[in-house]
Amino acid sequence: MRSEVAVSPTTAPDAADVELAIGGMTCASCAARIEKKLNRMEGVTATVNYATEKAKVSYADGIAVADLIATVEATGYTAREPEPPRAAGAAGAAGDGAAEGPDELTPLRQRLITAVLLSVPVIAMAMIPALQFEYWQWLSLTLAAPVVVYGAWPFHKAAWTNARHGAATMDTLISVGTSAAFVWSLWALFFGTAGTPGMTHPFELTIARSDGSANIYLEAAAGVTAFILAGRYFEARSKRKAGAALRALMELGAKDVTVLRDGQEVRIPVSELAVGDRFVVRPGEKIATDGTVIEGTSAVDASMLTGESVPVEVAPGDGVTGATVNAGGRLVVEATRIGSDTQLARMAKLVEDAQNGKAAAQRLADRISAVFVPIVIALSLATLGFWLGNGAGAAAAFTAAVAVLIIACPCALGLATPTALMVGTGRGAQLGILIKGPEVLESTRKVDTVVLDKTGTVTTGRMTLLGVHTAEGTDERDVLRLAGALEHASEHPIAQAVATGAAERTGPLPVPEDFANVPGLGVQGVVDGHAVLVGREKLLAEWAMELPAALQQAKRAAEAAGRTAVAVAWDGEARAVLEVADAVKDTSAEAITRLRALGLRPVLLTGDNKAVAESVAREVGIDEVIAEVMPEDKVDVVKRLQAEGRSVAMVGDGVNDAAALAQADLGLAMGTGTDAAIEAGDLTLVRGDLRAAADAIRLARKTLGTIRTNLFWAFAYNVAALPLAAAGLLNPMLAGAAMAFSSVFVVGNSLRLRGFKATT
């Protein structure tokens, strides 16, 4: 692994990596341009992610980080060095990756609100003759001016930056089109006849040449600005969440810890914890950092971190992981790793690397604009030259040239993505499916493999009483009442599963007359006058009791299936074996069938042992199983599948799934899981029902299809109308009607997504 540079050296002593925060990008083509410039430097390999606004750069000896920053700035954008690491602690260096940059959403929201409020009356007056009172055109100018100048300022700024570097994007087309419409309207109002009191735009959908002196295009300038700002705002909202997975990971860690100092317990912030410190973890508390148990025995619930439901028994000498929960007795732990060295911090780094390593989603509109914009500008100039050369007069020549820019200005194009996305995501939210942004949709079309985390995704994620095997002459109800009553007094997750299952099947449980926990073996006590033992077979052996042959066989069968076998005895005789395991969800098998119907190949991925994994896979109909995978290795499994040429969707719910969700071509997070997994996913399944995964992919694919249809017709409208504009045959009402029709078509096509139905 290459070393990670935290602060910029004068020159790199050897090949190294640095992560730069990039500012000023407005579209995916900006990221591509920066990446291209950096990669042209000798000894530099760079990946620029538009979504996270970061550049991950590998640079060779002799290159300074300052040189990389200078290259980015010379391209027209900003770059800054990473911040130095914070003080050691659980939220230390790993938290740096989650640091948020300046809030760009608030000014964008302010521009959007201003543009919408001012442009609505401008559009209404232009399109409805009844609203065109005597001086309506001057009110339109008053309302449209702030929209074109203030609202569209980000587009003008980006267009100027792009122009200085010989590039053209959708920002260029928006800026040129809205500016042309506004400037021509100013000329028509002050120097033409458009400012005459009583001037109206009648409904004359005729093709005729005019000198344009009575034509104003303020509604096009203001409306396009408002529409495009709406699209940018919703895109920025989804982009802002890119670092939320890392923040969610850091929130899992403990904030304070009780350390032992000279035999006294002292409460301190986790950031002050040092390697070698001994700290106390009481039942129900989070373990502050990675360490080794010095005193005490307990069961540790690692489900928040690993996603696996079976608790881990720990005793002196065993290692424990920060952010897991002590579910049993009091522990004294010696800290062995802190800050960026902990497993939680390493997993946060994996998530960040996976996010930065994702190829920036290239929006179709930006790809086409790279060719479309220069062609439109060239056509406008050619039109101006042609009419001037043919003696048509300056007014007619400029009218035709400006008409080309105006008709090319993407009103419907601005609506194509945001309207489909808003309707699609709105419908998804009604069905419990949350889609993060437009870039997510492209991934759904390509995926051919779906990797499913076992615990909490295919299974319920909690221990459940699944079976009861009784000795001859023993009543199952008696077993459940006595064992459940005793287990109810224990905090152990397996004990709670037995108690819950017993209460569901027999009703209220009696209160034990005596209770004792036997560390590592089980519990014992007196219930309804019976001396009861519940736990491992070894606990019964200590009381000279053996399981009968039938119960021995039941125990072996349960363990072979990956289940936990719990022995029950009372009054000196072994009476039953209980099977406890993470139960498969009722809908999982049906969900697998639906995923296969979408052309996806399911793979079960889990940290559990192979027997458990294969048992679950058989039950739900999955053929490919990858078991006994360490939490931090799940991302490597996804990378390996991708290296085999597969396009991978990942479905998970645990913190250990977060990096894999980010690395996958499409991440689907179960809404019942941890915040880290949810934030790292591209799609969130609120219901926690795996069948929603199939619905989510269907809805995302349908939304993507709608966007593509919208974009096609938006461009088709532009292409069809450009020759008329170049010929000088476009009057304002014809242009307005055509633009309105294309916009209505786009909106109507998008609204069809409201009829999407889930199959659940």
Side-chain angles (χ1 to χ4, degrees):
M1 180 182 291
R2 294 171 297 202
S3 60
E4 195 71 30
V5 178
V7 291
S8 65
T10 305
T11 56
D14 200 354
D17 287 351
V18 69
E19 195 170 74
L20 300 176
I22 306 296
M25 293 190 293
T26 59
C27 62
S29 56
C30 297
R33 190 174 310 116
I34 297 170
E35 190 173 295
K36 186 177 180 180
K37 289 283 188 181
L38 287 172
N39 284 323
R40 282 180 177 174
M41 297 175 68
E42 188 174 350
V44 172
T45 303
T47 301
V48 181
N49 191 322
Y50 170 56
T52 59
E53 296 184 323
K54 290 180 180 179
K56 188 174 180 64
V57 188
S58 175
Y59 58 98
D61 186 19
I63 298 176
V65 174
D67 297 333
L68 303 175
I69 293 175
T71 299
V72 174
E73 290 177 342
T75 313
Y77 305 89
T78 63
R80 60 182 174 85
E81 304 174 41
E83 297 176 3
R86 300 176 191 172
D96 294 340
E100 291 189 63
D103 180 17
E104 297 179 0
L105 206 57
T106 300
L108 186 55
R109 186 191 306 114
Q110 291 170 347
R111 292 182 196 276
L112 173 60
I113 292 172
T114 301
V116 170
L117 291 178
L118 296 180
S119 62
V120 167
V122 174
I123 296 171
M125 285 188 289
M127 296 299 172
I128 305 173
L131 299 179
Q132 295 173 5
F133 55 91
E134 189 171 4
Y135 291 102
W136 71 274
Q137 67 270 46
W138 295 101
L139 176 61
S140 290
L141 175 64
T142 304
L143 296 175
V147 179
V148 176
V149 177
Y150 167 72
W153 175 248
F155 309 131
H156 302 320
K157 183 179 178 183
W160 173 245
T161 300
N162 292 329
R164 283 168 47 212
H165 296 89
T169 65
M170 190 56 67
D171 288 320
T172 307
L173 186 55
I174 295 165
S175 177
V176 171
T178 55
S179 298
F182 186 72
V183 171
W184 182 263
S185 298
L186 286 177
W187 182 91
L189 286 169
F190 287 99
F191 302 104
T193 59
T196 305
M199 186 277 290
T200 61
H201 277 172
F203 278 109
E204 292 180 359
L205 303 182
T206 56
I207 296 177
R209 186 174 289 112
S210 72
D211 64 4
S213 61
N215 301 342
I216 60 173
Y217 299 93
L218 294 172
E219 75 282 0
V224 167
T225 300
F227 289 141
I228 302 296
L229 278 174
R232 290 289 169 87
Y233 175 72
F234 290 109
E235 183 177 51
R237 279 183 59 186
S238 65
K239 194 174 72 172
R240 190 184 184 189
K241 295 180 180 178
L246 304 178
R247 294 191 292 275
L249 275 170
M250 291 304 102
E251 286 299 315
L252 286 175
K255 304 299 181 292
D256 301 301
V257 58
T258 302
V259 297
L260 295 176
R261 299 276 168 85
D262 300 323
Q264 301 294 317
E265 294 187 2
V266 181
R267 196 77 175 170
I268 64 171
V270 169
S271 59
E272 297 178 12
L273 196 63
V275 172
D277 281 348
R278 295 190 174 187
F279 58 93
V280 177
V281 189
R282 296 181 176 83
E285 286 187 339
K286 289 181 180 178
I287 297 173
T289 192
D290 297 359
T292 303
V293 177
I294 303 299
E295 298 176 18
T297 59
S298 181
V300 173
D301 179 3
S303 59
M304 259 196 307
L305 191 65
T306 67
E308 303 305 333
S309 58
V310 180
V312 179
E313 302 285 349
V314 296
D318 291 335
V320 290
T321 305
T324 56
V325 178
N326 178 17
R330 179 180 183 270
L331 295 175
V332 176
V333 179
E334 182 176 307
T336 57
R337 289 194 294 263
I338 60 172
S340 60
D341 294 329
T342 64
Q343 183 174 345
L344 179 63
R346 291 201 305 270
M347 291 173 69
K349 189 71 178 78
L350 283 173
V351 173
E352 187 172 26
D353 288 345
Q355 287 182 334
N356 289 341
K358 267 188 169 179
Q362 184 80 16
R363 292 281 294 278
L364 181 60
D366 285 315
R367 288 199 297 268
I368 297 177
S369 68
V371 178
F372 186 64
V373 175
I375 289 175
V376 167
I377 293 174
L379 181 60
S380 176
L381 293 174
T383 300
L384 176 65
F386 175 81
W387 287 114
L388 285 175
N390 279 272
F398 276 101
T399 298
V402 172
V404 169
L405 293 176
I406 292 171
I407 203 66
C409 198
C411 183
L413 198 59
L415 288 169
T417 296
T419 53
L421 188 65
M422 282 188 283
V423 177
T425 53
R427 181 57 182 153
Q430 293 175 338
L431 301 173
I433 301 164
L434 305 182
I435 302 173
K436 281 197 174 176
E439 67 279 357
V440 172
L441 306 175
E442 295 187 22
S443 302
T444 63
R445 181 177 53 87
K446 300 180 297 181
V447 292
D448 53 33
T449 301
V450 57
V451 176
L452 304 162
D453 172 57
K454 180 185 72 68
T455 308
T457 303
V458 177
T459 64
T460 61
R462 60 182 182 276
M463 301 301 286
T464 307
L465 178 62
L466 298 179
V468 180
H469 304 276
T470 60
E472 187 176 351
T474 302
D475 183 64
E476 180 178 316
R477 189 176 180 83
D478 291 337
V479 172
L480 291 174
R481 285 186 72 258
L482 297 178
L486 202 58
E487 294 281 55
H488 186 66
S490 172
E491 297 174 340
H492 197 289
I494 291 178
Q496 288 299 304
V498 172
T500 301
E504 289 174 352
R505 302 184 195 189
T506 66
L509 301 172
V511 178
E513 299 156 29
D514 186 27
F515 171 83
N517 180 51
V518 184
L521 294 179
V523 293
Q524 61 188 40
V526 178
V527 181
D528 287 349
H530 299 285
V532 183
L533 301 174
V534 183
R536 298 179 185 270
E537 186 179 4
K538 188 176 178 182
L539 177 63
L540 275 62
E542 289 189 357
W543 289 82
M545 284 181 270
E546 292 185 1
L547 291 174
L551 294 184
Q552 282 280 6
Q553 185 177 352
K555 175 178 176 291
R556 285 193 296 269
E559 291 174 343
R563 297 178 176 181
T564 300
V566 180
V568 182
W570 68 81
D571 295 344
E573 187 177 342
R575 308 278 184 165
V577 167
L578 308 179
E579 289 187 42
V580 177
D582 185 8
V584 173
K585 293 179 181 178
D586 295 337
T587 58
S588 291
E590 183 183 350
I592 299 302
T593 301
R594 293 181 182 179
L595 289 169
R596 286 186 186 278
L598 290 172
L600 302 176
R601 176 179 173 185
V603 177
L604 187 67
L605 177 65
T606 180
D608 264 356
N609 65 66
K610 196 168 184 180
V612 175
E614 289 180 344
S615 175
V616 170
R618 281 193 301 271
E619 190 170 343
V620 298
I622 296 176
D623 302 323
E624 189 172 350
V625 177
I626 303 174
E628 301 176 7
V629 179
M630 295 295 290
E632 60 269 27
D633 294 333
K634 288 192 173 183
V635 68
D636 294 328
V637 172
V638 173
K639 287 180 179 178
R640 176 169 59 79
L641 292 172
Q642 289 171 328
E644 293 173 1
R646 302 198 209 180
S647 184
V648 179
M650 171 76 190
V651 187
D653 75 324
V655 175
N656 65 312
D657 301 321
L661 287 167
Q663 174 63 39
D665 298 286
L666 178 68
L668 296 96
M670 305 297 283
T672 51
T674 61
D675 289 343
I678 291 170
E679 295 297 348
D682 300 312
L683 296 167
T684 300
L685 314 178
V686 176
R687 301 196 303 273
D689 185 340
L690 189 56
R691 291 178 299 178
D695 289 333
I697 292 175
R698 285 177 51 241
L699 175 61
R701 286 178 176 177
K702 194 171 183 63
T703 304
L704 176 63
T706 301
I707 289 175
R708 288 178 177 275
T709 304
N710 288 349
L711 290 172
F712 170 79
W713 284 110
F715 275 111
Y717 150 76
N718 288 131
V719 171
L722 279 174
L724 291 176
L729 298 175
L730 224 53
N731 68 46
M733 285 314 300
L734 185 61
M739 185 174 290
F741 172 77
S742 63
S743 299
V744 168
F745 174 83
V746 163
V747 173
N749 190 43
S750 299
L751 289 175
R752 294 192 306 120
L753 288 168
R754 293 191 302 180
F756 178 86
K757 296 187 183 301
T759 54
T760 52

